[in-house]
């Protein structure tokens, strides 16, 4: 029997309860997603875990609730507050009147409650409705758990579908993958199997195809070829290939996919890619604001000549493109002056009387752009006025941006969907300048937009290659260019250097060295503060001894021992931890990839506060903390668009599948003042020699060429 509830989060039903199991001498602490009340009996399955602070607990994976049968249990159950209108006093009166049949009366004959002193018709009606809702929740929980759904997922399903949860899951268990956060195809498929859905059922084949297209998009692809789809579907579902064609036809008719010859697109990605090509061509074809020739003449006896005196020939050529091109790309590696040219472009356009808007995909990149240009710069989402309640961006073709020029920094990070949204909002007469390093990793999301635009040849490209004097003094920048060319970096481990290499082959030893560098050597020797984001560990993978997960656990144990903490799923967050936002939260204005510090954690009040690097303090209820993860170590992909004072980069053969030249190049270019590579020569050599970038399935370059 449940003795007491010590904590309950109504958002996700995470509960801590005290229970006396039958025959036990002392109470047991239960933790997990549960909906319990004192006096209730349950049968629970799970495992014993040892909490570092609270000791031994039973982590509930699934449970079956049972109504109490004793008079004492029924009275405690009703008096627990689970039913509005019934408190301890009223519970005692009800039990005195109806005895062991009290719950049966409430369930089947609620009007008889009018016989109890103090209960009128209005209150009885409220009690009956509250009981119906509680019973429905329990019925749903029992049904879902009997079909292999864990309690946490069961709560989310009920919150999404309400009283229709059972009917919805029975009708289409694969809807769970689309509608419920945290439920993927594999889980939905297991539930479907429990419900008796056949392996070759058309609904299962369609769901498998949708899942594979979603998975391909997660790997950067905009479409899948039919041959690849055949291999993937038959491998995943273990069904005959003949079942795929009718499933594709149904998905196409339902509007879920678009088929172009051999290419199979999710409808939204097809719309985005077609839209990017069309809107880019629209901008190229439309007349734009004229820029007087003298504004660009480096030999003219004007103030502009003085301002451009520090520019090299390739930089001046880049400025020249601004006059002749409605859209252009400015690309180049570190130290080649992209920021300098961007600043001059802004000044040039403003002198011509044009309103210039500046933006970048991430908050950190937008902040750096603003600092470099002395102008306001916003994230693309803020520029386009994203309104989650309205389901999209306020700025679009019908409500375009008020600008004659739009400059977009870190453009290599922009996926096809976000580029589509941006281009839709740029008015016909405006100029578009895309700035970025095309040799870095492509966007995390689907597409390779900047690379495809360059390859198409439709948009003029200014490529900066000369490293200027001040940048040339940095080994970080010099070695970044060597790495990009496949050359071994120059090593100078003198104390005054900015590029260090510690050779170590053993992954466990590499992890120990990384921990010591972040927690002791760099703070003591160089004055960097790991709590404030001044040292960032970048790693190619999440798993393994030198993956992000293990390194975060090491560094948290070293940097925030004994701090106030809260357990979120399989991880612990502590006050003072570096954290990473893993989902877009438009209400808070923070986005996937934003970094910050968990500055405050209030256990009693159930909330935490995070100060984000890009600016702003945000409050998180404990139910929202699953949006955050530790960020002492993050993946190199996650670091795109960011720059850190010091970067520590572990490289081991455990990372072998991910060791590519552009990955190493991206990691090195994230360091502003100091870079330390810790790892073996084999791993470093593999990354340098492997210039085979994973080819993304996109059709943007072909679409742009076709529109010329």
């Amino acid at each position: 029997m449940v003795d007491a509830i010590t904590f309950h989060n109504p958002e996700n039903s995470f509960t801590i309860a005290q229970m006396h199991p039958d025959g036990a001498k002392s109470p047991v602490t239960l933790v997990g997603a549960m909906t319990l009340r004192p006096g209730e009996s349950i049968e629970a399955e799970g495992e014993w875990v040892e909490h570092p602070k609270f000791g031994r607990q039973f982590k509930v994976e699934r449970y079956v609730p049972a109504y109490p049968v004793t008079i004492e249990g029924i009275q405690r159950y009703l008096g627990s507050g689970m039913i509005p209108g019934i408190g301890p006093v009223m519970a005692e009166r009800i039990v005195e009147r109806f005895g062991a049949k009290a719950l049966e009366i409430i369930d089947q004959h609620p009007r008889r409650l009018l016989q109890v002193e103090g209960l009128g018709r209005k209150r009885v009606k409220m009690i009956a409705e509250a009981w119906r809702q509680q019973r429905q929740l329990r019925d749903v929980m029992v049904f879902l758990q009997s079909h292999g759904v864990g309690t946490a997922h069961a709560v989310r399903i009920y919150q999404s579908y309400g009283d229709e949860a059972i009917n919805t899951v029975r009708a289409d268990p694969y809807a769970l993958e689309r509608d419920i956060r945290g439920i993927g195809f594999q889980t939905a498929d297991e539930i479907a199997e429990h419900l008796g859905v056949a392996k070759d059922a058309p609904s299962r084949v369609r769901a498998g195809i949708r899942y594979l297209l979603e998975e391909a998009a997660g790997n950067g692809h905009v479409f899948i070829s039919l041959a690849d789809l055949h291999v993937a579907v038959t491998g995943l579902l273990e069904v005959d290939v003949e079942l795929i064609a009718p499933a594709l036809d149904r998905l196409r008719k339902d509007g879920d996919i678009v088929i172009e010859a051999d290419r199979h697109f999710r409808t939204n990605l097809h719309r985005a890619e077609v839209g990017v090509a069309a809107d880019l061509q629209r901008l190229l074809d439309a007349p734009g604001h004229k820029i007087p020739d003298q504004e660009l003449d480096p030999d003219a006896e004007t103030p502009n000549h003085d301002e451009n005196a520090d520019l090299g020939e390739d930089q001046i050529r880049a400025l020249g493109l601004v006059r002749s091109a409605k859209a252009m790309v400015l690309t180049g590696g570190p130290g080649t002056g992209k920021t300098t040219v961007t600043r001059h472009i802004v000044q040039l356009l403003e002198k011509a009387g044009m309103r210039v808007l500046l933006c970048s995909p991430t908050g950190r990149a937008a902040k750096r752009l603003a600092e470099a240009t002395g102008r306001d710069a916003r994230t693309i989402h803020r520029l386009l006025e994203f309104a989650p309640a309205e389901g999209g961006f306020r700025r679009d073709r019908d409500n375009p941006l008020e600008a004659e020029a739009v400059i977009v920094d870190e453009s290599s990070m922009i996926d096809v969907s976000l580029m589509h949204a941006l281009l839709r909002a740029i008015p016909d007469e405006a100029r578009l300048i895309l700035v970025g390093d095309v040799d870095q990793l492509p966007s995390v999301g689907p597409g390779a937009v900047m690379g495809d635009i360059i390859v198409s040849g439709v948009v003029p490209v200014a490529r900066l290659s000369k490293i200027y004097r001040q940048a040339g003094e940095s080994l970080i920048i010099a070695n970044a260019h060597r790495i990009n060319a496949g050359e071994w970096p120059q090593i100078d481990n003198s104390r005054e250097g900015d590029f260090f290499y510690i050779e170590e082959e053993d992954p466990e030893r590499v992890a120990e060295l990384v921990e010591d560098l972040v927690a002791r050597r760099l703070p003591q020797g160089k004055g960097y503060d790991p709590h404030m984001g001044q040292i960032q560990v970048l790693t190619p993978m999440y798993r393994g001894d030198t993956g992000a997960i293990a390194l975060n656990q090491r560094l948290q144990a070293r940097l925030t021992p004994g701090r106030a903490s809260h357990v979120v799923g399989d991880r612990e967050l502590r006050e003072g931890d570096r954290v990473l936002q893993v989902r877009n939260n438009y209400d808070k204005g923070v986005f996937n990839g934003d970094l910050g510090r968990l500055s405050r954690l209030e256990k009693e009040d159930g909330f935490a506060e995070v100060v984000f690097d890009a600016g702003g303090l945000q409050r998180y209820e404990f139910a929202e903390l699953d949006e955050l993860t530790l960020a002492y170590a993050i993946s190199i992909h996650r670091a795109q668009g960011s720059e850190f004072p010091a970067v520590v980069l572990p490289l081991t053969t455990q990372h072998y599948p991910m060791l590519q030249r552009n990955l190493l190049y991206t990691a090195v270019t994230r360091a502003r003042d100091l870079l330390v590579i810790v790892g073996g020569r084999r791993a470093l050599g593999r990354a340098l020699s492997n210039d085979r970038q994973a080819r993304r399935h996109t059709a943007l370059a072909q679409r742009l060429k076709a529109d010329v």
Side-chain angles (χ1 to χ4, degrees):
M1 180 185 295
V2 177
D3 294 326
I5 307 298
T6 56
F7 177 79
H8 177 72
N9 185 328
E11 294 292 328
N12 60 8
S13 287
F14 179 79
T15 300
I16 303 174
Q18 301 298 315
M19 180 181 181
H20 248 106
D22 293 341
K25 294 181 180 180
S26 57
V28 168
T29 300
L30 305 180
V31 296
M34 298 174 285
T35 303
L36 303 175
R37 289 295 182 272
E40 183 177 12
S41 297
I42 66 169
E43 293 181 7
E45 297 178 15
E47 62 177 348
W48 290 103
V49 295
E50 193 70 29
H51 191 279
K53 185 175 181 181
F54 301 110
R56 198 168 187 240
Q57 299 176 335
F58 190 78
K59 186 177 180 182
V60 176
E61 294 175 357
R62 63 191 54 185
Y63 73 98
V64 178
Y67 294 121
V69 294
T70 66
I71 296 292
E72 178 190 1
I74 292 172
Q75 184 170 322
R76 288 187 63 204
Y77 181 70
L78 289 176
S80 67
M82 68 162 272
I83 303 176
I86 301 180
V89 174
M90 188 56 65
E92 183 178 358
R93 291 180 189 172
I94 292 172
V95 171
E96 282 180 356
R97 178 70 183 82
F98 299 112
K101 291 188 175 182
L103 298 182
E104 179 184 338
I105 295 298
I106 296 173
D107 185 45
Q108 299 180 25
H109 310 287
R111 289 178 60 83
R112 290 184 60 186
L113 291 175
L114 293 169
Q115 300 171 18
V116 179
E117 180 185 355
L119 289 181
R121 293 183 182 277
K122 184 176 180 180
R123 200 167 171 192
V124 166
K125 185 177 180 181
M126 180 178 67
I127 291 170
E129 176 59 22
W131 177 266
R132 185 195 69 78
Q133 292 178 0
Q134 289 288 334
R135 185 184 61 194
Q136 185 67 27
L137 171 59
R138 289 168 186 278
D139 290 345
V140 169
M141 296 288 283
V142 171
F143 167 79
L144 292 172
Q145 289 182 85
S146 69
H147 291 292
V149 182
T151 54
H153 287 153
V155 169
R156 288 187 185 138
I157 292 169
Y158 183 76
Q159 289 173 342
S160 296
Y161 297 144
D163 292 352
E164 288 300 309
I166 293 176
N167 291 336
T168 301
V169 174
R170 276 185 174 143
D172 182 11
Y174 295 103
L176 297 172
E177 179 202 349
R178 302 190 297 274
D179 300 339
I180 311 298
R181 178 172 54 84
I183 293 186
F185 175 80
Q186 303 288 359
T187 302
D189 201 35
E190 290 172 7
I191 296 169
E193 184 178 7
H194 269 277
L195 290 167
V197 176
K199 273 186 170 293
D200 60 353
S203 62
R204 181 171 184 260
V205 180
R206 292 195 298 272
I209 292 171
R210 282 195 301 265
Y211 163 71
L212 289 167
L213 287 171
E214 184 77 28
E215 190 178 54
N219 291 325
H221 302 297
V222 178
F223 67 83
I224 287 185
S225 70
L226 184 59
D228 288 344
L229 198 56
H230 279 175
V231 172
V233 171
T234 54
L236 174 71
L237 303 181
E238 298 178 344
V239 297
D240 292 336
V241 72
E242 289 79 11
L243 297 174
I244 297 176
L248 289 172
D249 189 53
R250 172 69 180 274
L251 289 169
R252 182 184 57 78
K253 289 178 179 176
D254 289 346
D256 291 333
I257 68 172
V258 173
I259 302 174
E260 284 184 351
D262 187 44
R263 300 166 178 161
H264 297 72
F265 300 79
R266 288 167 51 199
T267 299
N268 64 319
L269 292 182
H270 180 267
R271 184 186 305 117
E273 190 175 76
V274 170
V276 168
D279 279 313
L280 198 53
Q281 195 60 54
R282 168 179 61 82
L283 292 176
L284 291 169
D285 291 342
H289 189 106
K290 298 289 186 183
I291 300 176
D293 289 352
Q294 61 267 27
E295 292 287 350
L296 288 167
D297 184 358
D299 297 320
E301 293 298 326
T302 67
N304 190 57
H305 171 61
D306 295 332
E307 292 172 10
N308 291 348
D310 61 335
L311 298 181
E313 292 183 7
D314 56 350
Q315 294 175 319
I316 291 175
R317 281 196 297 270
L319 277 172
L321 276 181
V322 178
R323 176 173 56 83
S324 59
K326 276 293 301 305
M328 64 169 285
V329 173
L330 173 64
T331 188
T336 58
K338 292 191 303 296
T339 300
T340 299
V341 174
T342 300
R343 186 167 56 246
H344 280 267
I345 289 174
V346 172
Q347 295 168 355
L348 183 89
L349 296 172
E350 288 178 343
K351 280 187 175 182
M354 300 168 69
R355 185 183 181 200
V356 183
L357 296 180
L358 293 90
C359 62
S360 188
T362 69
R364 287 174 67 98
K367 186 177 180 181
R368 290 206 322 274
L369 181 61
E371 291 169 352
T373 60
R375 308 293 192 277
D376 177 56
R378 285 169 274 178
T379 65
I380 295 173
H381 279 80
R382 289 190 185 280
L383 183 73
L384 300 182
E385 300 174 19
F386 187 79
E390 299 171 24
F393 297 100
R394 291 198 178 107
R395 294 290 184 173
D396 55 19
R397 286 294 295 140
D398 298 324
N399 183 30
L401 295 167
E402 297 167 6
E404 284 82 43
V406 177
I407 299 176
V408 191
D409 198 16
E410 297 288 356
S411 295
S412 64
M413 291 181 63
I414 304 176
D415 64 34
V416 69
S417 297
L418 186 57
M419 185 64 83
H420 179 220
L422 175 62
L423 294 183
R424 275 169 50 84
I426 298 178
D428 293 353
E429 67 277 7
R431 277 172 168 74
L432 172 67
I433 297 101
L434 300 175
V435 183
D437 186 349
V438 73
D439 293 324
Q440 289 184 23
L441 291 169
S443 58
V444 174
V449 179
M450 189 179 187
D452 283 350
I453 290 174
I454 292 173
V455 168
S456 74
V458 171
V459 174
V461 177
R463 187 181 291 271
L464 306 178
S465 56
K466 180 182 176 183
I467 302 175
Y468 288 87
R469 184 182 58 81
Q470 186 177 358
E473 297 170 359
S474 165
L475 264 187
I476 293 175
I477 291 175
N479 281 336
H481 288 272
R482 288 191 183 94
I483 288 167
N484 201 30
E487 300 172 6
W488 197 268
Q490 180 182 338
I491 307 299
D492 178 9
N493 283 348
S494 64
R495 184 175 178 82
E496 294 73 26
D498 64 358
F499 188 104
F500 295 85
Y501 174 53
I502 302 174
E503 186 174 351
E504 176 58 58
E505 294 287 350
D506 179 56
E508 176 67 21
R509 180 60 183 148
V510 169
E512 292 173 358
L513 287 167
V514 169
E515 176 189 332
D516 192 47
L517 281 163
V518 175
R520 184 184 66 86
R521 291 171 62 177
L522 293 182
Q524 290 181 7
K526 298 287 187 178
Y528 293 115
D529 187 343
H531 297 283
M532 303 304 293
Q534 294 176 356
I535 308 172
Q536 184 63 60
V537 179
L538 301 182
T539 180
M541 296 177 70
Y542 287 96
R543 304 290 175 184
D545 296 323
T546 54
I549 296 172
L551 289 174
N552 273 318
Q553 291 171 346
R554 274 181 172 273
L555 290 166
Q556 183 190 54
R558 184 76 175 268
L559 294 169
T560 56
R563 300 281 187 91
S565 65
H566 182 69
V567 176
V568 184
D570 59 354
R571 63 187 182 275
E572 182 180 22
L573 296 176
R574 297 178 186 169
E575 194 171 83
D577 277 337
R578 290 290 297 168
V579 291
L580 171 79
Q581 179 80 14
V582 296
R583 279 201 301 277
N584 289 339
N585 187 320
Y586 300 106
D587 294 329
K588 296 184 190 301
V590 292
F591 301 98
N592 187 357
D594 284 354
L595 292 160
R597 182 173 62 89
L598 202 160
S599 59
R600 184 181 177 194
L601 197 149
E602 293 290 343
K603 290 287 289 184
E604 289 188 9
D605 297 326
F607 76 90
E609 290 179 345
V610 176
V611 178
F612 283 95
D613 296 349
L617 182 146
Q618 295 296 334
R619 174 177 167 132
Y620 287 74
E621 303 303 321
F622 276 2
E624 300 174 302
L625 287 179
D626 62 347
E627 296 183 9
L628 300 173
T629 192
L630 290 174
Y632 297 108
I634 63 175
S635 72
I636 296 169
H637 282 84
R638 284 279 191 189
Q640 289 176 261
S642 298
E643 185 180 74
F644 309 98
V647 167
V648 177
L649 173 63
L651 282 180
T652 72
T653 51
Q654 286 186 345
H655 303 146
Y656 196 85
M658 297 292 293
L659 294 177
Q660 296 175 344
R661 188 183 299 170
N662 63 342
L663 188 87
L664 177 60
Y665 173 74
T666 300
V668 170
T669 57
R670 299 308 90 205
R672 187 182 71 210
D673 303 319
L674 180 70
L675 175 75
V676 184
I677 297 177
V678 186
R681 296 180 71 85
R682 286 177 56 208
L684 183 54
R686 161 69 180 177
L688 289 169
S689 62
N690 182 15
D691 64 346
R692 297 192 304 273
Q693 297 185 24
R695 181 178 173 272
R696 293 189 167 191
H697 297 308
T698 69
L700 179 59
Q702 295 95 313
R703 294 187 198 282
L704 288 169
K705 291 176 183 177
D707 288 341
V708 175

